[in-house]
Amino acid sequence: MSSAPLTPPPRQQERARSTRAAIIRAAAGVFEDHGYGNTSLAAVAAAAQVTKGALYFHFASKDALAVAVIEEQHAIASADGARVQALGRPALETMVLVCRGFTLQLIEHSVMRAGIRLTFEASAFGHDVRGPYLDWAVRFGELSRTAQQDGDLRPDLDADAFARVVVGSYTGVQMVSNILTGRADVIERLADLWTMLLPGVVGADRQERVPQLVALFRDGPSD
Amino acid sequence: MSSAPLTPPPRQQERARSTRAAIIRAAAGVFEDHGYGNTSLAAVAAAAQVTKGALYFHFASKDALAVAVIEEQHAIASADGARVQALGRPALETMVLVCRGFTLQLIEHSVMRAGIRLTFEASAFGHDVRGPYLDWAVRFGELSRTAQQDGDLRPDLDADAFARVVVGSYTGVQMVSNILTGRADVIERLADLWTMLLPGVVGADRQERVPQLVALFRDGPSD
């Protein structure tokens, strides 16, 4: 009689990972449409086409599922941020392109939209959701300081305050676009934000860069 | 035998109005803390110190109660907007002061905070919540065009786009302030927004007005 293996065989591990990923994707769709309070684990199991037993094997509670969606959202956003950083463009362009990438992810992935919705509903399930916002503010603070050293941002600008303004105003413009148009106009509304925000923060001798940066946000890098 | 009166006597009407208002206040507190999905009518009745029967007399469903809170939020915001308009100040100052008033109401009234939360959760109860955002965008669009005629805003600015940028960025900055500090720093974060947004939209010959407008937002009118 052979003893049970300490870890499941590779194929079983892979199947468990793919089931878990399918549950998170399905949960995102249900949370996005119905919000935290109106989502039931039964609805998620049905959407994921798994039994409630399989669902409970991966997630002990609705709370755990919501946290997994928020973490997945943050993982997608962070990976995309790293992709943009790796382009090695100047810091101010990097900020603009990180926002562009985040917006495209938001349009494409239900996990991103559900994660944002859950973040705003999160006091209902007592999860501390400050992390992603603080991360984003810290990274953009670093980029702002570099952009200031590059001479792209005004020398008298409070770089950390600029980072927080970008995080807050980006968040709101995309949320109001969601309410009014289901995010159909989100790129145009965010392009408006950059058009009006950049002249006040870009150095006096770099103002000609403003329309270039807005075009970079709207259309992406041409190279 | 006397017939029943067609309308309740004044004292009874007054009592009904005051009960209804007390229920809305209590509901706002519960919705603010727990969100739409996790709020029960029993919890609202307990918080309002009324029987469930009295609650149902005024509101047939949780949906009706949430809509009443959103409408009350909009009524408070509109009344405060009208108060500011009546000051008869230039249009750009009026925009800044309407935002200041809204922020102070947000700090003071649970109905305002609950209304905002419910608006973002509202797809869960199928209520069209575009109204307040469209109203706000339309009023600010009118003020922007007047501010442009006054020479306070750049002649080449898209006035309606500016109005939408203010609505969206204001919304997000206060929401992120709520997530990160429970709105303890909301006035400072919004003052940062005005500090960075105004230089890009104010006319070239009115730039000295920027710090005055930021101070007006932060401290209110001195007269």
Side-chain angles (χ1 to χ4, degrees), chain A:
Chain A
M1 201 176 117
S2 67
S3 62
L6 289 174
T7 51
R11 189 172 299 172
Q12 209 171 313
Q13 280 182 50
E14 199 192 296
R15 200 163 52 217
R17 263 199 302 273
S18 112
T19 302
R20 189 176 188 280
I23 293 170
I24 291 176
R25 270 198 307 277
V30 181
F31 280 133
E32 186 195 351
D33 290 343
H34 302 287
Y36 182 79
N38 284 354
T39 289
S40 69
L41 288 180
V44 173
Q49 297 185 287
V50 299
T51 63
K52 277 193 89 174
L55 182 64
Y56 277 113
F57 174 78
H58 289 281
F59 300 100
S61 65
K62 182 162 77 167
D63 185 304
L65 199 48
V67 169
V69 170
I70 291 175
E71 283 172 356
E72 179 70 8
Q73 174 217 345
H74 196 40
I76 292 173
S78 297
D80 198 68
R83 175 191 65 77
V84 173
Q85 290 259 19
L87 298 175
R89 300 181 72 111
L92 187 54
E93 290 188 16
T94 299
M95 289 178 80
V96 166
L97 286 174
V98 167
C99 287
R100 173 177 167 79
F102 193 93
T103 310
L104 297 181
Q105 300 289 336
L106 200 55
I107 292 168
E108 191 174 337
H109 292 297
S110 174
V111 170
M112 296 289 290
R113 299 188 296 272
I116 286 180
R117 174 167 192 159
L118 288 169
T119 299
F120 282 100
E121 294 182 5
S123 61
F125 53 101
H127 182 62
D128 183 351
V129 293
R130 288 174 300 174
Y133 287 91
L134 288 172
D135 267 17
W136 198 14
V138 167
R139 280 177 205 212
F140 270 25
E142 288 161 5
L143 287 166
S144 292
R145 279 188 296 277
T146 305
Q148 210 165 26
Q149 285 154 17
D150 295 343
D152 284 332
L153 291 177
R154 289 160 62 145
D156 60 334
L157 185 76
D158 179 337
D160 286 317
F162 175 58
R164 284 189 305 251
V165 163
V166 170
V167 171
S169 54
Y170 176 94
T171 300
V173 169
Q174 66 79 14
M175 289 186 85
V176 173
S177 160
N178 184 35
I179 289 180
L180 294 181
T181 72
R183 295 200 180 90
D185 69 351
V186 67
I187 293 277
E188 279 312 302
R189 295 292 76 75
L190 287 165
D192 287 344
L193 174 65
W194 288 115
T195 301
M196 294 175 199
L197 189 57
L198 286 171
V201 295
V202 163
D205 59 337
R206 306 277 170 102
Q207 289 290 317
E208 82 287 353
R209 303 241 37 222
V210 170
Q212 296 164 8
L213 288 161
V214 174
L216 185 68
F217 174 77
R218 197 184 267 121
D219 307 318
S222 55
D223 47 59

Side-chain angles (χ1 to χ4, degrees), chain B residues 56-79:
Chain B
Y56 278 111
F57 174 77
H58 289 281
F59 300 98
S61 65
K62 183 161 78 166
D63 186 303
L65 199 49
V67 170
V69 169
I70 291 175
E71 282 173 354
E72 178 70 9
Q73 174 217 344
H74 197 41
I76 292 174
S78 298

Side-chain angles (χ1 to χ4, degrees), chain B residues 25-85:
Chain B
R25 269 197 309 276
V30 181
F31 280 131
E32 185 194 351
D33 291 342
H34 302 287
Y36 182 78
N38 285 351
T39 289
S40 70
L41 288 178
V44 173
Q49 298 185 291
V50 301
T51 62
K52 278 193 88 172
L55 183 62
Y56 278 111
F57 174 77
H58 289 281
F59 300 98
S61 65
K62 183 161 78 166
D63 186 303
L65 199 49
V67 170
V69 169
I70 291 175
E71 282 173 354
E72 178 70 9
Q73 174 217 344
H74 197 41
I76 292 174
S78 298
D80 198 68
R83 174 192 64 78
V84 172
Q85 291 258 20

Side-chain angles (χ1 to χ4, degrees), chain A residues 117 121 123 164 168 172 189, chain B residues 117 120-121 123 164 168 172 189:
Chain A
R117 174 167 192 159
E121 294 182 5
S123 61
R164 284 189 305 251
R189 295 292 76 75
Chain B
R117 172 168 194 159
F120 282 99
E121 294 182 4
S123 61
R164 285 189 303 250
R189 294 292 76 77

